[in-house]
Amino acid sequence: STMKVNRHDPETELRFSRSMNLQSTELLSSQTLSNIPEAVDDFLRNFLRRAGLTRTLSRFEGEWYGSALRRLTDTLKTVATAAPGVYFIPDALTHRHLLQSELEAVRAETELLKEEVLSAGASLVRIQRERDFHRLQHQRVSEDKRRLTEDFKHLKKHLESYEPVLRQLEEKYQTAVRQKMLLSFHRERLQSSTDPTPAQVKEERRKEKPPAKTTAHLKDSEFPPCSGLPRAYLEQMNSHTGKSLASFSLTCSIRAHQQPISCIDLHPRKLILVSASDDSTWRLWVLPEDREKMLLSGEGHSDWLSGCSFHPDGSKLATTSGDTTVRLWDFSRGCCVLMLSGHAQPTWACSFHSCGHFLASCSADRTAKLWDLNSQRCRLTLRRHTASVNSVCFLPSSNLLLTCSADKTLALWDARVGVCTTTFLGHCHPCNHAAFSSATSMVASCDSSGIINTWDTRKPTSPMAAADTGPLSANQVAFNHSGKMLAVASSDGLVKLVEVDSGGVSSLEGHRDSVQSVTFDHKGETVISAGSDGRVNIWS
């Protein structure tokens, strides 16, 4: 049978829904044996209708209908999960609400997916653009690399084409150097042959009538007979024990120059120090115990100063420079009194003979020269080294001259005849400096790797001992008064003290840059150092 329901009547619709719910409940109870509670909505509805509470009845029906819909939705969900195969036929409104909620959930997920797809699309476009940019960059770099490789090959071929010309120029240069050396030999021979002998001078003066007043001709000085230092003096120096390595400490620091100091030297008798700097000046300092004082300064070289040396009587000073000259300064006059030119490249160091009439100098032109200060000319040119001659010094009270070179050798010369009497072989790196000991027959040398070798001049075949102060270069070495201690100026900013007998090494810290020069005082109890920081430090 069919039942017509008037949808416009709320009461009829509610009854129809209740009857459908009752039928569904009976079906569910028959299948799932559920315990359905007793309905009370009819009791309340009849009570309100009998009491005439029409407005309350309409409000109760609205609220009861809404709660019924919620209970029906919960029941559908419970039955669907608890009893598969059992279905309810909800009314159109409830079904519409369910579909609407699912549709909204699907739309929300669709919007999220749409945003993610759009973001992924934008990222893909950005990555593609970056790929295209990097691909263009790679192509440009590859093209530059190819072009540079071709240019390198062309330049290499061009350089190879110049190698024969360079070899020819080198051969011409060597030939010119040899010819220049032969010409200098010939010139010196002619000069020595044209100088009149004393007998010829006397004969000419005797023949002159009447005798005329003439100025005396400058004559070459004669080397004095030297037998070394007196035995009593040597015994006194050997008996002097000196200080220990650990007893030295920094007592004074002088800002001597604004630019690096290349060399220092101490006055033969007084506590006066001279410093030579890259600023092309030298300065004379008095070193009292309370404070320092500058006495004098000199300017005249056109390039940096590389070395300085006091005259044996302390009244003069010799300096060497990058301008290839050697200058002699007189303190009493306060000026340069002699300029010696003859080296072809920068001069590195100089040293006076103990008699004061001769001055030796060394240069980067691979030679050392002996100058006669009376005749003001070069007496000898010492040629043996194959690289720059870095230091030169006279043995005290002797006619022996010691040189060291970048060719890793030391040479001992007889200054009277210019003959090399001894060659010292043992360094593996260029030698920077060599020094004599006034108390013994030892020689100390240092090289660019920081190795200090001590030699016996009577046994020059191999070093007596070696000390390592490296790995940086050792720039200068000096013996103390007794010859039992060495001071080393090192490029690592330290002054190294080496005990000759044991080989022990200690360090003095105080310079901010490499140390270029070092010396002892007259008693051997004070160390004076100078470096590229422009400072002179005194250690005692």
Side-chain angles (χ1 to χ4, degrees):
S1 64
T2 61
M3 182 184 296
K4 294 183 180 181
V5 180
N6 188 6
R7 292 290 181 180
H8 297 284
D9 187 2
E11 185 177 358
T12 306
E13 185 178 358
L14 184 61
R15 290 177 180 177
F16 174 75
S17 176
R18 185 169 61 253
S19 63
M20 292 297 294
N21 289 337
L22 291 175
Q23 293 178 3
S24 299
T25 304
E26 292 177 358
L27 180 61
L28 181 62
S29 61
S30 62
Q31 293 183 0
T32 60
L33 301 179
S34 301
N35 184 13
I36 300 174
E38 183 179 359
V40 296
D41 54 340
D42 290 339
F43 173 79
L44 294 174
R45 191 178 289 107
N46 295 328
F47 175 78
L48 293 174
R49 185 178 288 110
R50 284 194 300 269
L53 301 175
T54 309
R55 294 176 58 186
T56 304
L57 177 62
S58 62
R59 186 175 295 273
F60 167 75
E61 288 180 347
E63 291 180 0
W64 185 264
Y65 182 74
S67 63
L69 288 179
R70 287 193 297 272
R71 287 198 304 272
L72 180 60
T73 302
D74 296 338
T75 304
L76 288 174
K77 293 180 181 180
T78 303
V79 172
T81 55
V86 177
Y87 302 99
F88 285 93
I89 302 176
D91 57 354
L93 184 60
T94 304
H95 189 61
R96 179 178 176 277
H97 280 293
L98 292 176
L99 293 178
Q100 187 71 24
S101 62
E102 291 180 1
L103 181 60
E104 290 176 357
V106 171
R107 285 178 178 175
E109 293 179 359
T110 303
E111 291 296 329
L112 292 177
L113 291 176
K114 184 177 180 180
E115 292 178 359
E116 292 178 358
V117 168
L118 292 176
S119 176
S123 301
L124 178 61
V125 172
R126 184 176 63 256
I127 292 173
Q128 288 177 350
R129 292 178 179 175
E130 292 179 356
R131 179 203 61 190
D132 296 338
F133 173 76
H134 289 296
R135 183 176 295 171
L136 292 175
Q137 288 293 107
H138 176 71
Q139 292 176 358
R140 188 179 297 108
V141 171
S142 300
E143 183 65 22
D144 293 342
K145 179 180 178 182
R146 184 188 60 80
R147 186 170 59 255
L148 290 175
T149 304
E150 293 178 356
D151 294 342
F152 174 74
K153 291 180 180 178
H154 291 317
L155 291 175
K156 188 175 181 180
K157 291 180 181 179
H158 193 60
L159 179 62
E160 290 176 354
S161 65
Y162 275 103
E163 287 182 354
V165 179
L166 293 176
R167 284 195 296 268
Q168 293 178 2
L169 292 176
E170 180 67 21
E171 292 175 358
K172 290 181 180 179
Y173 172 74
Q174 296 295 336
T175 304
V177 170
R178 287 193 293 269
Q179 291 178 357
K180 181 180 178 181
M181 188 180 302
L182 293 175
L183 289 175
S184 63
F185 279 137
H186 185 63
R187 184 178 67 251
E188 291 175 1
R189 191 179 297 111
L190 290 177
Q191 289 177 356
S192 61
S193 63
T194 55
D195 288 339
T197 62
Q200 293 175 351
V201 173
K202 290 181 180 180
E203 184 67 20
E204 291 178 358
R205 289 180 178 178
R206 187 179 61 81
K207 291 180 180 180
E208 290 179 354
K209 293 180 181 180
K213 295 182 179 181
T214 58
T215 58
H217 181 70
L218 294 176
K219 301 296 179 61
D220 289 337
S221 303
E222 296 294 335
F223 281 94
C226 296
S227 58
L229 295 173
R231 184 179 298 274
Y233 177 74
L234 295 176
E235 291 178 355
Q236 180 183 359
M237 288 192 296
N238 289 328
S239 62
H240 182 73
T241 57
K243 299 174 65 175
S244 62
L245 299 182
S247 61
F248 288 91
S249 61
L250 182 62
T251 58
C252 182
S253 181
I254 306 171
R255 183 64 175 181
H257 295 269
Q258 296 298 324
Q259 295 190 23
I261 300 175
S262 56
C263 184
I264 57 173
D265 193 26
L266 194 64
H267 192 276
R269 292 180 300 275
K270 301 178 181 179
L271 197 59
I272 297 178
L273 185 77
V274 62
S275 60
S277 172
D278 287 355
D279 58 9
S280 304
T281 66
W282 57 264
R283 294 179 181 178
L284 208 61
W285 302 86
V286 178
L287 304 177
E289 295 182 357
D290 53 353
R291 63 185 183 88
E292 69 279 355
K293 178 182 179 182
M294 188 177 72
L295 286 180
L296 195 64
S297 65
E299 298 180 1
H301 285 284
S302 60
D303 209 337
W304 39 264
L305 269 64
S306 55
C308 56
S309 178
F310 273 107
H311 192 274
D313 62 6
S315 62
K316 297 181 180 64
L317 176 71
T319 57
T320 56
S321 171
D323 60 8
T324 72
T325 64
V326 181
R327 291 178 181 258
L328 186 64
W329 308 80
D330 192 334
F331 296 141
S332 60
R333 300 182 185 179
C335 63
C336 175
V337 296
L338 180 61
M339 183 178 68
L340 303 173
S341 302
H343 287 288
Q345 294 187 26
T347 52
W348 295 126
C350 58
S351 176
F352 280 98
H353 191 276
S354 57
C355 68
H357 300 315
F358 299 97
L359 177 67
S361 63
C362 62
S363 170
D365 61 5
R366 310 176 187 177
T367 66
K369 290 183 180 292
L370 185 65
W371 308 89
D372 193 324
L373 300 182
N374 290 328
S375 60
Q376 300 181 3
R377 72 183 188 92
C378 177
R379 288 281 297 272
L380 292 173
T381 300
L382 309 179
R383 296 179 175 88
R384 181 180 180 86
H385 292 290
T386 60
S388 172
V389 183
N390 294 328
S391 77
V392 60
C393 64
F394 275 102
L395 178 66
S397 300
S398 173
N399 293 322
L400 296 178
L401 186 68
L402 178 67
T403 59
C404 79
S405 170
D407 62 5
K408 310 173 188 178
T409 65
L410 287 76
L412 195 62
W413 308 78
D414 188 341
R416 295 169 295 183
V417 292
V419 176
C420 179
T421 60
T422 307
T423 301
F424 300 87
L425 302 174
H427 280 285
C428 298
H429 298 85
C431 297
N432 291 331
H433 189 259
F436 275 117
S437 171
S438 301
T440 62
S441 59
M442 286 193 303
V443 172
S445 60
C446 59
D447 62 22
S448 59
S449 66
I451 300 298
I452 311 299
N453 285 342
T454 53
W455 315 77
D456 190 343
T457 55
R458 298 166 296 184
K459 300 176 182 179
T461 55
S462 61
M464 294 174 52
D468 189 0
T469 62
L472 297 183
S473 173
N475 299 318
Q476 198 177 61
V477 63
F479 278 100
N480 71 338
H481 188 67
S482 62
K484 298 179 181 180
M485 185 185 298
L486 285 169
V488 182
S490 180
S491 292
D492 57 5
L494 301 176
V495 177
K496 308 290 180 66
L497 299 179
V498 181
E499 191 171 354
V500 176
D501 295 333
S502 64
V505 179
S506 66
S507 300
L508 302 177
E509 299 181 2
H511 285 282
R512 299 178 181 178
D513 206 339
S514 62
V515 185
Q516 299 295 336
S517 185
V518 67
T519 186
F520 282 93
D521 69 341
H522 305 110
K523 297 180 180 180
E525 297 179 351
T526 301
V527 178
I528 307 173
S529 62
S532 298
D533 55 1
R535 306 193 72 86
V536 174
N537 288 347
I538 302 175
W539 320 77
S540 60

